[in-house]
Amino acid sequence: MRYTPFLIVPLLSACSMSFMKFDNDPLVQATYATDATKSSVMAAGGKPDSEMAVPEINGTCINYTLKQDAESMPFYVAFDKNGKRKHYGYITCQQARAKGVFSQ
């Protein structure tokens, strides 16, 4: 029990490091911008893998698969009816809906 922190910390670090690997991706950087819109995000990321309606925010959500070296990571961006970015993260739109992200 007393060695548990030594086992957990490296595991948590490994998780956060894989997210950080994608933070400099042009799509992610465009999403982080305070004035991000659907058109600015799609200009940076290109055609998304998929798109779905999100009635909870009266908007849409797009899925991308970020790729770097041999790794890939899902990334979603949700927009309101005016095309302004509302939510984003390193999961899919479907996972975000299941977690209740759009209901907040």
Side-chain angles (χ1 to χ4, degrees):
M1 194 66 172
R2 111 166 135 170
Y3 297 105
T4 303
F6 295 108
L7 297 173
I8 293 175
V9 171
L11 290 174
L12 293 174
S13 297
C15 280
S16 63
M17 292 302 286
S18 68
F19 289 109
M20 289 174 53
K21 181 176 189 169
F22 295 98
D23 273 351
N24 289 325
D25 186 281
L27 166 66
V28 176
Q29 288 297 307
T31 302
Y32 287 168
T34 55
D35 58 346
T37 63
K38 188 173 183 179
S39 31
S40 67
V41 168
M42 289 181 74
K47 184 177 187 252
D49 297 335
S50 63
E51 182 170 356
M52 64 182 260
V54 183
E56 299 93 329
I57 59 171
N58 197 23
T60 60
C61 186
I62 55 178
N63 284 307
Y64 285 96
T65 302
L66 303 174
K67 295 176 183 159
Q68 190 174 63
D69 302 326
E71 285 187 64
S72 64
M73 176 85 57
F75 189 75
Y76 85 95
V77 190
F79 305 92
D80 66 13
K81 66 180 177 182
N82 298 316
K84 295 189 187 236
R85 184 211 63 226
K86 298 300 285 179
H87 305 280
Y88 59 90
Y90 289 98
I91 57 177
T92 65
C93 296
Q94 294 79 359
Q95 291 169 321
R97 172 175 273 150
K99 289 181 178 225
V101 171
F102 304 135
S103 301
Q104 300 172 4

